[in-house]
Amino acid sequence: MAKTAEYNFKTIETHWQNYWEEAKTFHAVTDSKRAKYWILDMFPYPSGAGLHVGHIEGYTATDILGRYKKAQGFNVLHPMGWDAFGLPAEQHAIATGLHPAINTKNNVDNFRRQMKRVGLGIDWEREINTTDPEYFRWTQWIFLQLFKHGLAYVDQKPVWWCPKLGTVLANEEVIDGKSERGHYPVERKALRQWVLKITAYGDKLLKGLEHLDWPDATKRQQKLWIGRSEGGLVKFNLEQGQSLEVFTTRPDTLLGVSFIALAPEHPLLKCIVTEDQQKAVSDYITQVASKSDLERTDLAKGKSGVFTGSYALHPITQERIPIWVADYVLMYHGTGAVMGVPAHDSRDYEFAQMYHLPIKQVIASNDDSTLPFCKTDGTLVNSQKFTGLTCEAANKAILTELESLGCGKTMVQYKLHDWLFSRQRYWGEPFPIVWVKKSDYAKLLACKDSPFREFLPEEAISYSEGNETFCAVPLTSQHLPLELPKVSSYKPAEGSTTPLQNAEKTWLNVRLNIHTGELCPEDGTTSEGWISGMRETNTMPQWAGSCWYYLRYLSPHYKQNFVAKEDVAYWGTPDLYVGGAEHAVLHLLYARFWHNFLFDLGLLPTNEPFRKLFHPGIILGPDGNKMSKSLGNVVNPNEVMDEYGADSLRLYEMFLGPLEASKPWNLQNVEGVFRFLKKVWREYINLDGEISAKIQAGFHDTPAFEQLLHETISKVTEAIENLRFNTAIAQLMIFMNGFQKEATVSLDSAKKFLQLLAPFAPHIAEELWSRLGENASIIEASWPKFDPNKCVRSELKIVVQVNGKVRDEIYVNADTEKNAILEAAKQAPKAARYLQSSTIVKEIYVPGKLVNFVVKP
RNA sequence: GCUUGAGUGGUGAAAUUGGCAAACACGCCAGACUUAGGAUCUGGUGCCGCGAGGUUUAAGGGUUCGAGUCCCUUCUCAAGCACCA
């Protein structure tokens, strides 16, 4: 390349980006002899809008760390991929008729090009894409493992349905009664859906959190989301014979029960409402049903309810307890019924007051017993033989009593629900499942060596329609990947719910040979060993592919398994995971679930995927609001790169503020970092395009400059380790200001500075490095070593305070004794003025820093 | 409402265990070099005051020789949760 005199970032940046690609600078190879460092970014959804400034913030941060670790001698793995299934590509397909794969490929190409333009040191040979059949082959395979082990099932319970998106959503995807994507209203609807039994991992997911180096807020959020609560299940017999169960965390308050409240959706209501209450109850249920869930859970409104006319019998006292229906009881939590203890639960108290139900205090405390008394640090009163026990003791005693009466047991309840795992979309992984009639399933069960037994669960997964029961047959490894069929439309047809039902009949209806494992389109013929079935037409949610993508980076081309044993043995799990906090109870929970599960199968060496997690803050629009199209405050990073270059963009984003802070985009500051880079260039390259004469090989730097260099090495190193890139850049600027003031600087120091700069502004660093005569990439050179001896000062500055106020400063030799320093401090002219007419009552000396005289007038 | 964070110049922000508040940068002011400056360099820039000096980390109180940092109260903002029995 021509050695220009100007800082021509365009030429430089293109040149070094090509160099890294050709030299495979960032290609990582499994090498058990070297220490590894694996940095993981949350992979992006390749949207049509291209890379935005938030992506660049996180990816630059990890790139800086990766380049730094590489210079430190680590075998660094910094891969990238695409979370490419999802709604926008599908909507684009609906609008244009173009297959989503085409749109996805264009977007991916654009994202990759932009990432290269930012200068990210990515190992592109490990690029993965969740929509690649060779990738989702293993997503489907892991699903089948879950299926085989009884962790995937179908259910008809009411689920969140979003009419606008035309699909069901998981609990975690519903925020304040609206869809996470698009903020559309959702409603409850009963549909047959696939569900993953994440609750089976509730305890493991909770316990596993303890040892993770994650932001506290994120751990707390997951903990609350899992919402483990211990308590008891209490059975109340009804007067007329049936029984109902309630879950309670407070068995100690059992003797204070004065009513029972059922959720309006509770199935028992159909048969227990007495005749004279029939109309009131049904009117009430209709009224509640017309409200959205949001309205129902709105705290601003009071509680309401209606008496059913029926009574339950208290399991211990045999008292008659009225049964009510009340909207504050939620069907989807616990048993959908609660025991009302007004004296010790604020909601029950409010309800009892409103309907004049008895309030029986059964717990009292010495210092405060105003009702409702909801704390658990009291003792029991009015509770027969349990009176006098502490709450804790009573919880156990009452549960034991209930158990012996056969109407109670201890129980752990989770707020976490099983994970709704199917979507009514086209652009997702098809389920490798075929539904067959129960009678045909029996044939399969009878065939002991059927290939279809590979993923067959112990208990059949089935659903009924009319008089027929259908059972789920898992495809075998041989059938994977099950690719998406061509469809006539990406929208569900009238009367159907899924787009895949638009596929050819030859895809939808198939025949299986239970002996050979063969699978072919249905042709209406029957012969021995063949059974007929229908494909599952739901697809998996976008979270599926992101549940295990990080593992695929380790063996992206491996055919025999989702990851190669030797690769995962070497790389383990990421040393650092960087990505947005918005996935706290979505991706970060789901991926932990899958990883824990795969660990339990013995397929992974560790149970937790992400030991260390960091959330970069959101970059806000210039107006301080979240960037959004509707506010028109979305900024385009390309414009900055056009005008100032990628190195400036990187420095700018890192210099905006602490990485974890939300901070507004403030383009004025880009000038500062651009000037800094121009200054670096000018100091190294003279007007003829040659190395500046100021940089001299073999020159001995002044001690002060050497000290500045080593302070800079120390501060930059520490700042990178702690991801405090803004302060690292400030220190680089301080160094450069000092550099500028020197008449001559050693070649050695000039090189060391470039090495410190290289992770942040890699293009200019590489360019100057090579102009200084180096042949290899700057990142191959080992990171400068900090020498504390260079920073030892012979003279110390001691601040002199009087009564805590700074009055003067003195300079002393580093080896001066304490008493001599105190004496010198007293002599300091400005300080002496304040000491003259007073008596010193105390002298404080902080070694090497300050002296404080406490005086009295 | 509950939980958890945070609040420092005109702006983005710095500040090891409590030890010189405002580093670095933007902006602004003045100057130098220039035909020119959106290039570059030099100096200044928290607030009050001509000055000596005083004063300042949301507000108030406390602990301490000493508090941006620790404790208490209040206010504001952000995030999360929101009838979870």
Side-chain angles (χ1 to χ4, degrees):
Chain A
M1 182 167 54
K3 295 193 173 179
T4 54
E6 288 102 58
Y7 170 40
N8 187 340
F9 56 81
K10 277 192 180 127
T11 332
I12 293 168
E13 289 177 358
T14 314
H15 176 263
W16 289 102
Q17 284 156 19
N18 291 338
Y19 171 90
W20 296 324
E21 187 150 356
E22 280 158 27
K24 298 190 176 190
T25 309
F26 298 100
H27 182 48
V29 178
T30 297
D31 177 358
S32 58
K33 289 187 282 296
R34 293 179 63 199
K36 63 97 187 184
Y37 196 88
W38 176 9
I39 308 171
L40 182 69
D41 295 291
M42 284 187 188
F43 64 161
Y45 173 77
S47 74
L51 211 57
H52 65 71
V53 293
H55 289 128
I56 294 175
E57 181 193 27
Y59 299 155
T60 301
T62 49
D63 187 41
I64 290 168
L65 191 66
R67 286 171 183 265
Y68 159 75
K69 288 286 178 186
K70 192 169 169 61
Q72 285 219 320
F74 285 92
N75 188 17
V76 172
L77 172 59
H78 188 196
M80 188 54 73
W82 319 107
D83 189 13
F85 275 127
L87 195 58
E90 178 155 331
Q91 285 173 336
H92 185 268
I94 291 170
T96 63
L98 220 61
H99 194 277
I102 297 166
N103 180 239
T104 299
K105 186 186 180 303
N106 291 341
N107 291 349
V108 162
D109 289 344
N110 186 37
F111 262 64
R112 192 190 307 104
R113 186 170 55 238
Q114 288 194 72
M115 286 183 180
K116 287 182 180 175
R117 194 180 167 199
V118 176
L120 301 179
I122 301 290
D123 181 357
W124 289 109
E125 288 175 53
R126 290 174 183 266
E127 178 181 337
I128 56 163
N129 184 325
T130 55
T131 65
D132 178 351
E134 283 311 306
Y135 177 89
F136 70 66
R137 161 201 298 276
W138 298 108
T139 310
Q140 291 171 330
W141 183 86
I142 295 170
F143 168 79
L144 288 175
Q145 291 290 355
L146 288 158
F147 178 79
K148 177 182 181 173
H149 291 88
L151 293 169
Y153 62 99
V154 290
D155 204 351
Q156 304 246 27
K157 271 196 206 163
V159 292
W160 292 114
W161 168 260
C162 178
K164 183 83 186 178
L165 294 176
T167 182
V168 298
L169 297 170
N171 255 351
E172 289 81 2
E173 292 173 301
V174 177
I175 295 161
D176 291 338
K178 289 183 178 152
S179 64
E180 188 234 354
R181 301 256 160 147
H183 302 283
Y184 303 119
V186 297
E187 57 196 50
R188 290 206 170 258
K189 192 170 172 178
L191 283 171
R192 177 182 65 80
Q193 292 300 319
W194 281 96
V195 184
L196 296 187
K197 208 181 270 177
I198 191 171
T199 50
Y201 275 75
D203 262 332
K204 280 184 179 171
L205 292 173
L206 191 64
K207 285 212 182 79
L209 276 177
E210 287 169 25
H211 308 290
L212 299 181
D213 182 3
W214 283 22
D216 284 336
T218 308
K219 281 166 99 166
R220 207 181 304 119
Q221 221 179 313
Q222 281 210 357
K223 194 178 166 184
L224 288 174
W225 190 263
I226 295 166
R228 184 182 199 275
S229 51
E230 286 179 23
L233 194 65
V234 184
K235 191 168 93 181
F236 286 80
N237 291 316
L238 305 191
E239 247 181 351
Q240 65 262 55
Q242 296 122 312
S243 68
L244 66 83
E245 286 180 321
V246 303
F247 171 73
T248 177
T249 54
R250 297 293 304 277
D252 57 324
T253 64
L254 186 64
L255 280 295
V257 173
S258 60
F259 65 93
I260 282 171
L262 304 181
E265 300 87 351
H266 200 287
L268 204 59
L269 280 172
K270 287 195 185 92
C271 41
I272 65 162
V273 180
T274 57
E275 213 158 297
D276 49 335
Q277 289 298 100
Q278 200 64 253
K279 182 166 166 29
V281 170
S282 62
D283 284 356
Y284 180 70
I285 291 172
T286 315
Q287 182 201 332
V288 169
S290 71
K291 293 181 187 172
S292 70
D293 272 58
L294 191 63
E295 284 168 327
R296 250 185 85 180
T297 56
D298 187 357
L299 275 179
K301 68 153 194 65
K303 297 178 176 32
S304 66
V306 174
F307 180 44
T308 63
S310 285
Y311 291 85
L313 297 173
H314 193 286
I316 289 175
T317 67
Q318 297 302 314
E319 267 177 273
R320 291 173 87 220
I321 315 268
I323 302 174
W324 286 63
V325 52
D327 65 349
Y328 79 96
V329 183
L330 307 171
M331 192 59 221
Y332 53 86
H333 188 267
T335 61
V338 301
M339 59 182 215
V341 186
H344 305 293
D345 181 283
S346 51
R347 297 152 303 184
D348 297 345
Y349 184 80
E350 198 188 318
F351 190 75
Q353 285 217 310
M354 184 170 283
Y355 295 104
H356 308 292
L357 293 160
I359 296 170
K360 290 196 279 183
Q361 180 170 6
V362 290
I363 290 163
S365 156
N366 290 335
D367 33 283
D368 171 33
S369 280
T370 49
L371 298 183
F373 180 78
C374 306
K375 289 183 283 187
T376 56
D377 57 355
T379 50
L380 269 71
V381 295
N382 304 323
S383 295
Q384 300 187 351
K385 63 178 171 182
F386 306 105
T387 300
L389 292 178
T390 62
C391 291
E392 202 183 337
N395 271 326
K396 281 189 194 138
I398 291 179
L399 273 174
T400 310
E401 174 84 5
L402 287 173
E403 262 170 70
S404 69
L405 294 170
C407 49
K409 59 179 182 190
T410 60
M411 184 180 160
V412 174
Q413 170 73 33
Y414 294 95
K415 203 177 128 182
L416 180 72
H417 288 70
D418 278 343
W419 174 17
L420 195 119
F421 194 68
S422 46
R423 299 291 182 277
Q424 292 69 52
R425 300 259 182 83
Y426 176 77
W427 196 226
E429 299 89 346
F431 282 87
I433 293 286
V434 171
W435 292 99
V436 302
K437 286 181 186 166
K438 197 173 181 179
S439 51
D440 286 335
Y441 194 76
K443 290 181 198 161
L444 171 56
L445 285 183
C447 178
K448 295 297 175 204
D449 56 353
S450 169
F452 288 105
R453 302 184 78 92
E454 185 182 356
F455 295 109
L456 212 62
E458 264 179 50
E459 277 188 46
I461 296 303
S462 64
Y463 75 95
S464 299
E465 211 173 270
N467 300 325
E468 195 61 77
T469 297
F470 295 92
C471 296
V473 174
L475 298 188
T476 74
S477 301
Q478 300 306 310
H479 299 115
L480 304 184
L482 171 61
E483 297 195 34
L484 282 163
K486 287 201 168 69
V487 288
S488 49
S489 162
Y490 300 104
K491 252 185 177 165
E494 276 297 310
S496 78
T497 51
T498 62
L500 288 195
Q501 283 171 355
N502 294 331
E504 299 278 326
K505 289 278 177 286
T506 52
W507 186 84
L508 288 169
N509 301 318
V510 292
R511 291 203 300 147
L512 315 173
N513 187 310
I514 58 176
H515 301 296
T516 63
E518 280 173 272
L519 190 154
C520 65
E522 176 65 72
D523 57 7
T525 62
T526 53
S527 49
E528 152 60 20
W530 290 89
I531 58 175
S532 297
M534 297 168 299
R535 300 263 194 193
E536 169 64 51
T537 60
N538 282 294
T539 53
M540 299 186 197
Q542 198 181 355
W543 312 109
S546 60
C547 266
W548 71 283
Y549 74 104
Y550 53 97
L551 294 166
R552 192 60 184 170
Y553 286 136
L554 304 183
S555 323
H557 312 294
Y558 193 58
K559 300 274 188 209
Q560 278 74 45
N561 210 333
F562 67 104
V563 65
K565 271 234 152 62
E566 59 271 25
D567 289 327
V568 75
Y570 173 68
W571 294 104
T573 51
D575 294 87
L576 178 67
Y577 192 19
V578 176
E582 67 273 17
H583 293 127
V585 292
L586 293 159
H587 158 64
L588 287 169
L589 188 65
Y590 298 149
R592 288 184 61 220
F593 167 39
W594 279 35
H595 195 103
N596 266 273
F597 167 69
L598 292 169
F599 169 74
D600 285 351
L601 291 190
L603 300 174
L604 293 175
T606 55
N607 61 334
E608 283 291 336
F610 312 126
R611 289 195 319 278
K612 187 172 182 183
L613 174 70
F614 188 91
H615 300 307
I618 297 167
I619 296 185
L620 307 168
D623 55 0
N625 292 308
K626 231 176 178 172
M627 286 190 199
S628 73
K629 274 185 212 157
S630 56
L631 283 172
N633 60 353
V634 180
V635 297
N636 186 346
N638 290 338
E639 291 164 18
V640 178
M641 280 196 280
D642 289 344
E643 200 167 340
Y644 302 97
D647 280 339
S648 286
L649 176 64
R650 293 167 60 111
L651 279 179
Y652 162 69
E653 289 212 20
M654 293 300 102
F655 197 54
L656 262 182
L659 191 60
E660 68 276 17
S662 298
K663 46 218 174 252
W665 183 259
N666 180 0
L667 257 195
Q668 288 188 325
N669 293 334
V670 82
E671 280 295 338
V673 293
F674 185 54
R675 277 177 209 163
F676 165 66
L677 290 182
K678 280 192 291 184
K679 185 191 282 189
V680 171
W681 184 265
R682 266 199 323 275
E683 290 297 319
Y684 279 73
I685 303 295
N686 68 20
L687 294 174
D688 302 321
E690 302 298 327
I691 295 298
S692 163
K694 143 177 206 174
I695 297 170
Q696 294 284 330
F699 178 76
H700 285 283
D701 291 312
T702 62
F705 187 69
E706 267 196 323
Q707 185 184 329
L708 175 61
L709 175 69
H710 282 271
E711 266 174 23
T712 303
I713 294 171
S714 163
K715 284 186 182 170
V716 170
T717 305
E718 210 183 303
I720 295 177
E721 289 280 358
N722 295 309
L723 306 180
R724 283 157 47 204
F725 302 127
N726 54 332
T727 59
I729 294 167
Q731 185 60 37
L732 292 171
M733 287 170 166
I734 291 170
F735 177 84
M736 212 51 220
N737 290 343
F739 189 111
Q740 195 176 18
K741 289 186 174 71
E742 295 292 312
T744 311
V745 165
S746 71
L747 177 63
D748 190 52
S749 295
K751 282 185 179 171
K752 285 201 168 93
F753 169 74
L754 290 181
Q755 286 185 267
L756 299 179
L757 177 66
F760 301 88
H763 308 90
I764 189 175
E766 290 276 22
E767 175 69 17
L768 295 174
W769 182 254
S770 85
R771 291 207 191 194
L772 288 177
E774 296 288 340
N775 290 318
S777 164
I778 190 168
I779 224 63
E780 313 281 356
S782 65
W783 190 251
K785 270 212 161 54
F786 169 59
D787 180 357
N789 291 325
K790 305 281 192 200
C791 292
V792 175
R793 297 163 197 244
S794 57
E795 201 183 50
L796 296 175
K797 187 181 93 170
I798 306 287
V799 170
V800 183
Q801 296 184 338
V802 179
N803 282 347
K805 288 197 193 298
V806 180
R807 294 304 178 186
D808 211 336
E809 54 190 43
I810 57 172
Y811 290 85
V812 298
N813 282 328
D815 53 1
T816 313
E817 307 248 329
K818 175 182 171 182
N819 286 338
I821 289 175
L822 286 171
E823 277 316 304
K826 285 174 196 167
Q827 305 305 320
K830 284 186 196 162
R833 258 194 282 166
Y834 292 89
L835 297 172
Q836 251 169 13
S837 54
S838 327
T839 39
I840 297 173
V841 293
K842 200 169 182 182
E843 296 172 345
I844 288 152
Y845 173 56
V846 181
K849 279 189 178 157
L850 66 74
V851 168
N852 187 14
F853 296 112
V854 185
V855 300
K856 267 185 184 169

